[in-house]
mmCIF file of all heavy atoms in Angstrom:
data_model
loop_
_atom_site.group_PDB
_atom_site.id
_atom_site.type_symbol
_atom_site.label_atom_id
_atom_site.label_comp_id
_atom_site.label_asym_id
_atom_site.label_seq_id
_atom_site.Cartn_x
_atom_site.Cartn_y
_atom_site.Cartn_z
ATOM 1 N N LYS L 541 108.126 52.953 141.606
ATOM 2 C CA LYS L 541 108.848 54.192 141.332
ATOM 3 C C LYS L 541 108.612 54.573 139.871
ATOM 4 O O LYS L 541 108.006 53.869 139.103
ATOM 5 C CB LYS L 541 110.340 53.979 141.546
ATOM 6 C CG LYS L 541 110.697 53.342 142.817
ATOM 7 C CD LYS L 541 110.710 54.367 143.903
ATOM 8 C CE LYS L 541 111.274 53.794 145.189
ATOM 9 N NZ LYS L 541 110.791 52.485 145.529
ATOM 10 N N GLY L 542 109.220 55.685 139.500
ATOM 11 C CA GLY L 542 109.232 56.088 138.130
ATOM 12 C C GLY L 542 107.851 56.284 137.520
ATOM 13 O O GLY L 542 107.653 56.118 136.319
ATOM 14 N N GLY L 543 106.888 56.639 138.342
ATOM 15 C CA GLY L 543 105.628 57.064 137.764
ATOM 16 C C GLY L 543 104.507 56.045 137.725
ATOM 17 O O GLY L 543 103.398 56.341 137.449
ATOM 18 N N ASN L 544 104.820 54.757 138.081
ATOM 19 C CA ASN L 544 103.714 53.825 138.051
ATOM 20 C C ASN L 544 103.462 53.258 139.413
ATOM 21 O O ASN L 544 104.327 53.281 140.282
ATOM 22 C CB ASN L 544 103.975 52.673 137.061
ATOM 23 C CG ASN L 544 105.171 51.814 137.532
ATOM 24 O OD1 ASN L 544 105.645 51.994 138.604
ATOM 25 N ND2 ASN L 544 105.609 50.932 136.693
ATOM 26 N N PRO L 545 102.251 52.840 139.710
ATOM 27 C CA PRO L 545 101.954 52.309 141.046
ATOM 28 C C PRO L 545 102.670 51.027 141.324
ATOM 29 O O PRO L 545 102.600 50.497 142.397
ATOM 30 C CB PRO L 545 100.421 52.118 141.060
ATOM 31 C CG PRO L 545 99.933 52.832 139.889
ATOM 32 C CD PRO L 545 101.034 52.914 138.903
ATOM 33 N N GLY L 546 103.331 50.449 140.331
ATOM 34 C CA GLY L 546 104.348 49.479 140.595
ATOM 35 C C GLY L 546 103.934 48.039 140.701
ATOM 36 O O GLY L 546 104.536 47.284 141.473
ATOM 37 N N PHE L 547 102.935 47.557 140.003
ATOM 38 C CA PHE L 547 102.711 46.119 140.057
ATOM 39 C C PHE L 547 103.232 45.425 138.823
ATOM 40 O O PHE L 547 103.115 44.238 138.723
ATOM 41 C CB PHE L 547 101.191 45.841 140.208
ATOM 42 C CG PHE L 547 100.693 46.090 141.579
ATOM 43 C CD1 PHE L 547 99.608 46.902 141.796
ATOM 44 C CD2 PHE L 547 101.347 45.581 142.666
ATOM 45 C CE1 PHE L 547 99.138 47.130 143.067
ATOM 46 C CE2 PHE L 547 100.909 45.828 143.944
ATOM 47 C CZ PHE L 547 99.792 46.604 144.136
ATOM 48 N N ASN L 548 103.771 46.165 137.877
ATOM 49 C CA ASN L 548 104.182 45.561 136.660
ATOM 50 C C ASN L 548 105.303 44.498 136.888
ATOM 51 O O ASN L 548 105.386 43.525 136.175
ATOM 52 C CB ASN L 548 104.687 46.581 135.670
ATOM 53 C CG ASN L 548 103.596 47.574 135.379
ATOM 54 O OD1 ASN L 548 102.461 47.353 135.707
ATOM 55 N ND2 ASN L 548 103.971 48.695 134.780
ATOM 56 N N THR L 549 106.129 44.744 137.870
ATOM 57 C CA THR L 549 107.219 43.824 138.119
ATOM 58 C C THR L 549 106.713 42.431 138.417
ATOM 59 O O THR L 549 107.362 41.449 138.146
ATOM 60 C CB THR L 549 108.035 44.276 139.330
ATOM 61 O OG1 THR L 549 107.758 45.650 139.584
ATOM 62 C CG2 THR L 549 109.474 44.072 139.121
ATOM 63 N N TYR L 550 105.588 42.334 139.049
ATOM 64 C CA TYR L 550 105.079 41.037 139.433
ATOM 65 C C TYR L 550 104.238 40.410 138.371
ATOM 66 O O TYR L 550 103.658 39.337 138.576
ATOM 67 C CB TYR L 550 104.257 41.147 140.707
ATOM 68 C CG TYR L 550 105.142 41.581 141.864
ATOM 69 C CD1 TYR L 550 105.062 42.855 142.377
ATOM 70 C CD2 TYR L 550 106.009 40.666 142.441
ATOM 71 C CE1 TYR L 550 105.867 43.248 143.402
ATOM 72 C CE2 TYR L 550 106.815 41.072 143.486
ATOM 73 C CZ TYR L 550 106.746 42.360 143.970
ATOM 74 O OH TYR L 550 107.533 42.736 144.975
ATOM 75 N N ASP L 551 104.096 41.023 137.204
ATOM 76 C CA ASP L 551 103.345 40.466 136.134
ATOM 77 C C ASP L 551 101.968 40.044 136.689
ATOM 78 O O ASP L 551 101.631 38.882 136.738
ATOM 79 C CB ASP L 551 104.114 39.217 135.608
ATOM 80 C CG ASP L 551 103.449 38.660 134.375
ATOM 81 O OD1 ASP L 551 102.793 39.390 133.649
ATOM 82 O OD2 ASP L 551 103.629 37.430 134.146
ATOM 83 N N LEU L 552 101.239 41.062 137.153
ATOM 84 C CA LEU L 552 100.014 40.742 137.878
ATOM 85 C C LEU L 552 99.019 40.107 136.937
ATOM 86 O O LEU L 552 98.083 40.738 136.466
ATOM 87 C CB LEU L 552 99.439 42.029 138.508
ATOM 88 C CG LEU L 552 98.513 41.744 139.663
ATOM 89 C CD1 LEU L 552 99.310 41.157 140.830
ATOM 90 C CD2 LEU L 552 97.879 43.047 140.137
ATOM 91 N N ASP L 553 99.280 38.836 136.652
ATOM 92 C CA ASP L 553 98.404 38.140 135.712
ATOM 93 C C ASP L 553 97.186 37.564 136.394
ATOM 94 O O ASP L 553 96.992 37.759 137.607
ATOM 95 C CB ASP L 553 99.176 37.066 134.943
ATOM 96 C CG ASP L 553 99.621 35.924 135.871
ATOM 97 O OD1 ASP L 553 99.240 35.944 137.039
ATOM 98 O OD2 ASP L 553 100.324 35.036 135.374
ATOM 99 N N SER L 554 96.375 36.870 135.663
ATOM 100 C CA SER L 554 95.068 36.530 136.170
ATOM 101 C C SER L 554 95.069 35.690 137.429
ATOM 102 O O SER L 554 94.215 35.793 138.285
ATOM 103 C CB SER L 554 94.235 35.854 135.081
ATOM 104 O OG SER L 554 95.030 34.844 134.486
#
Side-chain angles (χ1 to χ4, degrees):
Chain L
K541 311 279 189 316
N544 65 8
F547 284 129
N548 302 346
T549 341
Y550 295 105
D551 187 28
L552 202 65
D553 67 4
S554 47

